[in-house]
Amino acid sequence: MGSHVAGGVKNRVEHWREFLATDFITILWLTLRVSGTSVLLSSLVGIPLGAWLGLSCGRRVLLLRLLVQTGMALPPVVVGLVLYILLSRSGPLAWLGWLFTPRAMVVAQFILALPFVIGITQSAVAAMPGELRWQLRSLGATQWQIRRTVLWEARQGVLLAVAAAFGRSLSEVGAVLMVGGNIQGHTRVLTTAVVLETGKGQFGVALALGGTLLCLALLVNALIVRLDGSPPRYE
Amino acid sequence: MNEAPQFELRRVRKQYGGTVAVDVEHLRIEAGETLCLLGPTGAGKSVLLRLLAAVERPTAGEVRFEGRDYLGDRLRRETRHRITLVFQRPVLLSGSVSRNVAYGLRLRACPACPRAEVARILEHLGIGHLVGQAARNLSGGQAQLVALARALVLEPDVLLLDEPTAHLDPAHVALVERLLREAASSRPITLVWATHNLFQARRVGQRVGLLLNGRLIEVAPADAFFHEPAEPRTRDFVEGRMIY
């Protein structure tokens, strides 16, 4: 009995050691690369779009806002499924050859993060006092200069949008599992590794990976808070 | 010589939904004059100033600047740079007072060193010590002085003022009035000054107008306006009786 327990502990330690030596760094690096790229892309597209939506009005804009807010509730597995169908061998985008590659994972995370960036940026910009735009205009600012200044003044909300997008990307599992395939050393990221390790009964490794995810989120948010400094207050 | 007035409004109406905020049949403002706009709260003074500053467009009618309609096409940048509006509730940008005051100069790609200009105008307004302070930490009165500095530093041909001394102590009210009088005497500058304060209108206005429910009831030289008003509602307002 005693030797059985000792053997179990030995096996677990061996698994830990092997995991740390071979997979961990690759998984961590791929997680950062995929999430970082998707957040960067969704910010590049989403911040200008969110600013435009926040500064515009009219029925079409209301419809677009509704679509964006609905997009925030997009189920990741649905995104994964649609992307899978599009990228699979019989799909219209099969020629790209992206299925089960990090690129497909970036696309999935981009689709999921984009509504967050647009929606939160839009809210932050729309929350700026309406008189700010009038005042900038009366000082001689062009439409472009007004947009740039309002976006800068709303930077607290914009940074929050980027943080939310990073959180969404980092914690996403359904879509990346479907289009990435969780291939060891190729498309395995922290979330899919947690699923795999849990399935294998390696709860210690799974918990450690979960802790790593939390630490990453904490680090990124600390960086954002630092960048944010002391944001403007409007009373 | 340009004989067209600085501003001319013809049948100008501004509506928000079903509410008419301004409905002015005709108003002529000459270059270099100081026109005070009086009226109770909600009379449409601020909206009228925003229409003159072209930050809002009228629902109907014509606003002409030096004889040119700027409803038809977009106001050219050079024209826009000649007009500045100081708002009743100034919204200052984040960052320092200096950044706020230099904002308009930077937009104009001012070749002169903005820092020197900013320091000079802040000193003039007696708030030179605020130059490096965070704008968001200012009191209401200080913020209003900074907003005024932000406008004055641009040396505009037309200065539109919406209750610019509403949050100031009497000493600063006197200072601002003196500075604006000096600015107007040193070079031709058109001042359109909205105020609730009858005494202020009497002190600074060459002509005074009364707005009521968006309509211009009377515009007359200051003396005539206060001593021989043509309209009974003007008399009621001047004598401090509530009018609607």
Side-chain angles (χ1 to χ4, degrees), chain A residues 129 131-132 134-143 145 149 152-153 155 230-235, chain B residues 50 54-56 77 80-81 83-85 87 89-94 99 103 107-108 136-137 150 154:
Chain A
E131 286 179 347
L132 174 63
W134 284 339
Q135 298 199 13
L136 298 176
R137 197 166 168 75
S138 80
L139 290 168
T142 59
Q143 277 302 331
Q145 288 164 331
T149 307
W152 174 250
E153 293 301 308
R155 64 190 178 279
S230 49
R233 279 184 322 209
Y234 293 98
E235 288 161 3
Chain B
R50 291 203 296 268
V55 296
E56 283 199 278
R77 187 188 287 196
R80 182 177 291 289
H81 282 180
I83 309 168
T84 304
L85 169 58
F87 288 75
R89 282 178 42 205
V91 179
L92 298 180
L93 304 172
S94 58
R99 180 191 172 226
Y103 183 82
L107 292 180
R108 284 156 179 75
R136 64 170 179 274
N137 293 336
R150 187 166 66 174
L154 303 174

Side-chain angles (χ1 to χ4, degrees), chain A residues 12-32:
Chain A
R12 272 201 287 275
V13 171
E14 272 304 306
H15 184 80
W16 264 96
R17 200 174 285 167
E18 193 186 318
F19 181 77
L20 280 176
T22 55
D23 286 350
F24 183 70
I25 298 298
T26 316
I27 289 172
L28 186 64
W29 172 236
L30 186 66
T31 304
L32 284 172

